[in-house]
Amino acid sequence: MSEEARSNSAETETVKQRRPTAKRRVGDEKAGELPGKRVTLARALSKLGYCSRTQAEKLIAEGRVSVAGRKITDLSHWVDIEADRIAVDGTVIAAQARVYLMLNKPRGLVTTRDDPEGRPTVFSCLDNVDVPSLSPVGRLDKASEGLLLFTNDTVLAQRLLDPETHLGKVYHVQLRGIFGEAMAARMVEGVTEGGELLRALRVERLKGGDRNSWIEIELDEGRNRQIRRMLDVLGFECLRLLRVSIGEIRLGDLPKGASRPLTEAEALYLRRRTGL
């Protein structure tokens, strides 16, 4: 075999390299990162905004990802996210521009890209947004409405979903019945449902009549259907549930079903608030 043929063969062979011996901090390997800019290949594809880490692992296992022209199938392979040339199916991956936007989610939509039951999803409101890796940050259940954030910044999304971030979320809730201070105090103190202790950070009565009441609830945790479950324990039927703010990001007068990019100040606030 000629020297040129041997060189070309070496370029296309599958390479399974050992992890670098750079000094690691406790927890770095678990997070898929080393000090500096070194990350696992799957983590790099996620950080670059190409796809999720789970999707990246599948692409790597299928032999569709290369680094510096060499196909990599080892999920533990480490790369320098700024220096190494990473490609998928031969196309070099560059960092996508970060996109941050908000949607005023209408009632009746599920918070997912594809629903196995064929129900309409929140992405039906984003037909004019061409960002393949855009994902919702957290969820609003089908019957809930209001502020929902989307981004392709996977690191920020993970930080926002981390319970340690303690980013308060405010909801306006219409319920059947007369809601008084005693009930508000019980929600702040906490109620137990399904073996979980559920608490609100703050509860205030906004307005009400003889039959219905509007209350404002602030949460600093995101348990599944938390507000509805708390009200059910207290004997109230939730008629409407509208998220109006996440931290200092407010829904404002954005029309239902409409979306808009976050302002530079809003995006900067989220990054600073999450330690980025």
Side-chain angles (χ1 to χ4, degrees):
M1 181 182 295
S2 68
E3 185 65 29
E4 180 180 358
R6 282 195 298 269
S7 176
N8 290 337
S9 176
E11 281 294 302
T12 57
E13 68 175 350
T14 299
V15 178
K16 294 189 177 182
Q17 298 182 359
R18 293 177 296 177
R19 296 182 182 182
T21 57
K23 184 178 180 181
R24 301 172 187 171
R25 299 170 298 189
V26 175
D28 281 335
E29 184 172 336
K30 181 178 180 180
E33 300 186 12
L34 286 175
K37 300 297 181 180
R38 297 193 65 79
V39 297
T40 60
L41 182 53
R43 181 71 168 157
L45 287 172
S46 174
K47 277 180 167 288
L48 290 170
Y50 183 79
C51 60
S52 70
R53 198 185 320 187
T54 300
Q55 292 169 328
E57 290 174 351
K58 184 174 184 293
L59 291 172
I60 295 167
E62 292 173 350
R64 297 171 58 185
V65 183
S66 64
V67 178
R70 297 180 298 178
K71 184 168 63 179
I72 305 296
T73 59
D74 183 3
L75 297 181
S76 67
H77 185 80
W78 293 80
V79 296
D80 186 320
I81 197 169
E82 292 187 347
D84 288 330
R85 184 166 57 89
I86 302 169
V88 177
D89 295 332
T91 301
V92 175
I93 304 304
Q96 288 189 3
R98 298 306 185 197
V99 175
Y100 311 93
L101 61 83
M102 68 163 66
L103 168 71
N104 186 349
K105 175 191 175 295
R107 198 170 184 170
L109 302 181
V110 292
T111 307
T112 184
R113 182 174 289 277
D114 299 298
D115 182 64
E117 299 178 27
R119 295 172 296 179
T121 78
V122 291
F123 283 90
S124 64
C125 299
L126 302 175
D127 290 338
N128 61 332
V129 181
D130 186 19
V131 183
S133 53
L134 193 69
S135 297
V137 181
R139 292 179 179 272
L140 283 173
D141 64 41
K142 182 181 177 183
S144 299
E145 50 194 303
L147 178 59
L148 187 61
L149 298 179
F150 290 77
T151 185
N152 61 351
D153 186 339
T154 58
V155 176
L156 175 65
Q158 291 167 1
R159 295 283 184 91
L160 287 172
L161 295 174
D162 190 334
E164 294 185 1
T165 301
H166 296 300
L167 196 62
K169 300 176 179 64
V170 178
Y171 302 80
H172 286 176
V173 183
Q174 183 187 34
L175 48 87
R176 194 181 304 282
I178 301 174
F179 190 91
E181 293 184 3
M183 291 301 180
R186 284 194 62 186
M187 294 185 75
V188 173
E189 180 182 348
V191 299
T192 300
E193 196 280 333
E196 285 188 286
L197 180 63
L198 306 175
R199 289 192 179 101
L201 185 65
R202 177 179 59 84
V203 181
E204 295 180 9
R205 186 172 182 271
L206 296 176
K207 60 182 179 179
D210 295 335
R211 295 184 178 181
N212 299 334
S213 300
W214 277 95
I215 61 176
E216 182 173 272
I217 300 176
E218 183 174 0
L219 304 179
D220 63 351
E221 56 184 0
R223 308 290 182 88
N224 183 41
R225 302 183 75 253
Q226 181 172 342
I227 292 176
R228 297 181 188 277
R229 292 162 63 193
M230 295 174 75
L231 291 174
D232 186 59
V233 170
L234 298 176
F236 288 97
E237 179 186 357
C238 180
L239 301 177
R240 285 188 67 189
L241 192 154
L242 173 71
R243 183 156 66 193
V244 296
S245 69
I246 298 175
E248 295 180 6
I249 309 299
R250 293 177 173 81
L251 181 63
D253 57 1
L254 185 68
K256 190 172 297 184
S259 64
R260 71 161 176 85
L262 296 190
T263 65
E264 185 176 344
E266 288 170 332
L268 182 60
Y269 160 76
L270 289 177
R271 294 186 63 82
R272 285 178 172 171
R273 186 64 176 75
T274 55
L276 296 175

PDB file of all heavy atoms in Angstrom, residues 252-264:
ATOM      1  N   GLY A 252     -46.480  40.213  30.072  1.00  0.00           N
ATOM      2  CA  GLY A 252     -46.958  41.497  29.593  1.00  0.00           C
ATOM      3  C   GLY A 252     -48.206  41.355  28.746  1.00  0.00           C
ATOM      4  O   GLY A 252     -49.070  40.516  29.006  1.00  0.00           O
ATOM      5  N   ASP A 253     -48.287  42.142  27.677  1.00  0.00           N
ATOM      6  CA  ASP A 253     -49.480  42.144  26.833  1.00  0.00           C
ATOM      7  C   ASP A 253     -49.293  41.334  25.549  1.00  0.00           C
ATOM      8  O   ASP A 253     -49.968  41.570  24.548  1.00  0.00           O
ATOM      9  CB  ASP A 253     -49.887  43.577  26.488  1.00  0.00           C
ATOM     10  CG  ASP A 253     -48.764  44.347  25.795  1.00  0.00           C
ATOM     11  OD1 ASP A 253     -47.684  43.761  25.563  1.00  0.00           O
ATOM     12  OD2 ASP A 253     -48.963  45.540  25.493  1.00  0.00           O
ATOM     13  N   LEU A 254     -48.370  40.375  25.556  1.00  0.00           N
ATOM     14  CA  LEU A 254     -48.166  39.520  24.382  1.00  0.00           C
ATOM     15  C   LEU A 254     -49.458  38.758  24.081  1.00  0.00           C
ATOM     16  O   LEU A 254     -50.002  38.081  24.955  1.00  0.00           O
ATOM     17  CB  LEU A 254     -47.019  38.538  24.645  1.00  0.00           C
ATOM     18  CG  LEU A 254     -46.595  37.641  23.473  1.00  0.00           C
ATOM     19  CD1 LEU A 254     -45.955  38.483  22.367  1.00  0.00           C
ATOM     20  CD2 LEU A 254     -45.615  36.569  23.962  1.00  0.00           C
ATOM     21  N   PRO A 255     -49.976  38.852  22.853  1.00  0.00           N
ATOM     22  CA  PRO A 255     -51.242  38.173  22.531  1.00  0.00           C
ATOM     23  C   PRO A 255     -51.134  36.653  22.676  1.00  0.00           C
ATOM     24  O   PRO A 255     -50.060  36.069  22.523  1.00  0.00           O
ATOM     25  CB  PRO A 255     -51.486  38.568  21.066  1.00  0.00           C
ATOM     26  CG  PRO A 255     -50.689  39.809  20.859  1.00  0.00           C
ATOM     27  CD  PRO A 255     -49.487  39.668  21.730  1.00  0.00           C
ATOM     28  N   LYS A 256     -52.255  36.037  22.956  1.00  0.00           N
ATOM     29  CA  LYS A 256     -52.292  34.584  23.111  1.00  0.00           C
ATOM     30  C   LYS A 256     -51.905  33.909  21.795  1.00  0.00           C
ATOM     31  O   LYS A 256     -52.377  34.286  20.719  1.00  0.00           O
ATOM     32  CB  LYS A 256     -53.692  34.155  23.523  1.00  0.00           C
ATOM     33  CG  LYS A 256     -53.790  32.693  23.952  1.00  0.00           C
ATOM     34  CD  LYS A 256     -55.157  32.374  24.522  1.00  0.00           C
ATOM     35  CE  LYS A 256     -55.422  33.182  25.774  1.00  0.00           C
ATOM     36  NZ  LYS A 256     -56.707  32.819  26.412  1.00  0.00           N
ATOM     37  N   GLY A 257     -50.992  32.935  21.881  1.00  0.00           N
ATOM     38  CA  GLY A 257     -50.522  32.229  20.694  1.00  0.00           C
ATOM     39  C   GLY A 257     -49.382  32.918  19.982  1.00  0.00           C
ATOM     40  O   GLY A 257     -48.809  32.367  19.035  1.00  0.00           O
ATOM     41  N   ALA A 258     -49.026  34.126  20.426  1.00  0.00           N
ATOM     42  CA  ALA A 258     -47.939  34.886  19.787  1.00  0.00           C
ATOM     43  C   ALA A 258     -46.625  34.635  20.527  1.00  0.00           C
ATOM     44  O   ALA A 258     -46.605  34.265  21.699  1.00  0.00           O
ATOM     45  CB  ALA A 258     -48.262  36.375  19.775  1.00  0.00           C
ATOM     46  N   SER A 259     -45.522  34.863  19.825  1.00  0.00           N
ATOM     47  CA  SER A 259     -44.190  34.727  20.422  1.00  0.00           C
ATOM     48  C   SER A 259     -43.373  35.966  20.075  1.00  0.00           C
ATOM     49  O   SER A 259     -43.699  36.705  19.142  1.00  0.00           O
ATOM     50  CB  SER A 259     -43.479  33.478  19.899  1.00  0.00           C
ATOM     51  OG  SER A 259     -43.247  33.572  18.494  1.00  0.00           O
ATOM     52  N   ARG A 260     -42.307  36.188  20.829  1.00  0.00           N
ATOM     53  CA  ARG A 260     -41.365  37.270  20.532  1.00  0.00           C
ATOM     54  C   ARG A 260     -40.002  36.908  21.081  1.00  0.00           C
ATOM     55  O   ARG A 260     -39.890  36.186  22.087  1.00  0.00           O
ATOM     56  CB  ARG A 260     -41.837  38.593  21.132  1.00  0.00           C
ATOM     57  CG  ARG A 260     -41.747  38.687  22.645  1.00  0.00           C
ATOM     58  CD  ARG A 260     -41.786  40.142  23.113  1.00  0.00           C
ATOM     59  NE  ARG A 260     -41.797  40.293  24.564  1.00  0.00           N
ATOM     60  CZ  ARG A 260     -40.697  40.306  25.319  1.00  0.00           C
ATOM     61  NH1 ARG A 260     -39.507  40.123  24.764  1.00  0.00           N
ATOM     62  NH2 ARG A 260     -40.789  40.477  26.628  1.00  0.00           N
ATOM     63  N   PRO A 261     -38.923  37.390  20.457  1.00  0.00           N
ATOM     64  CA  PRO A 261     -37.584  37.166  21.015  1.00  0.00           C
ATOM     65  C   PRO A 261     -37.445  37.910  22.339  1.00  0.00           C
ATOM     66  O   PRO A 261     -38.030  38.983  22.529  1.00  0.00           O
ATOM     67  CB  PRO A 261     -36.648  37.751  19.954  1.00  0.00           C
ATOM     68  CG  PRO A 261     -37.479  37.894  18.719  1.00  0.00           C
ATOM     69  CD  PRO A 261     -38.881  38.114  19.172  1.00  0.00           C
ATOM     70  N   LEU A 262     -36.684  37.353  23.248  1.00  0.00           N
ATOM     71  CA  LEU A 262     -36.350  38.087  24.457  1.00  0.00           C
ATOM     72  C   LEU A 262     -35.446  39.258  24.081  1.00  0.00           C
ATOM     73  O   LEU A 262     -34.657  39.181  23.142  1.00  0.00           O
ATOM     74  CB  LEU A 262     -35.625  37.194  25.463  1.00  0.00           C
ATOM     75  CG  LEU A 262     -36.387  35.997  26.042  1.00  0.00           C
ATOM     76  CD1 LEU A 262     -35.591  35.390  27.195  1.00  0.00           C
ATOM     77  CD2 LEU A 262     -37.785  36.360  26.489  1.00  0.00           C
ATOM     78  N   THR A 263     -35.573  40.324  24.811  1.00  0.00           N
ATOM     79  CA  THR A 263     -34.671  41.450  24.587  1.00  0.00           C
ATOM     80  C   THR A 263     -33.275  41.057  25.064  1.00  0.00           C
ATOM     81  O   THR A 263     -33.093  40.078  25.807  1.00  0.00           O
ATOM     82  CB  THR A 263     -35.134  42.690  25.352  1.00  0.00           C
ATOM     83  OG1 THR A 263     -35.037  42.426  26.767  1.00  0.00           O
ATOM     84  CG2 THR A 263     -36.567  43.049  25.005  1.00  0.00           C
ATOM     85  N   GLU A 264     -32.290  41.818  24.642  1.00  0.00           N
ATOM     86  CA  GLU A 264     -30.915  41.554  25.084  1.00  0.00           C
ATOM     87  C   GLU A 264     -30.818  41.627  26.603  1.00  0.00           C
ATOM     88  O   GLU A 264     -30.132  40.814  27.232  1.00  0.00           O
ATOM     89  CB  GLU A 264     -29.973  42.561  24.435  1.00  0.00           C
ATOM     90  CG  GLU A 264     -28.504  42.313  24.734  1.00  0.00           C
ATOM     91  CD  GLU A 264     -27.588  43.273  24.001  1.00  0.00           C
ATOM     92  OE1 GLU A 264     -28.056  43.925  23.049  1.00  0.00           O
ATOM     93  OE2 GLU A 264     -26.409  43.370  24.373  1.00  0.00           O
TER      94      GLU A 264
END
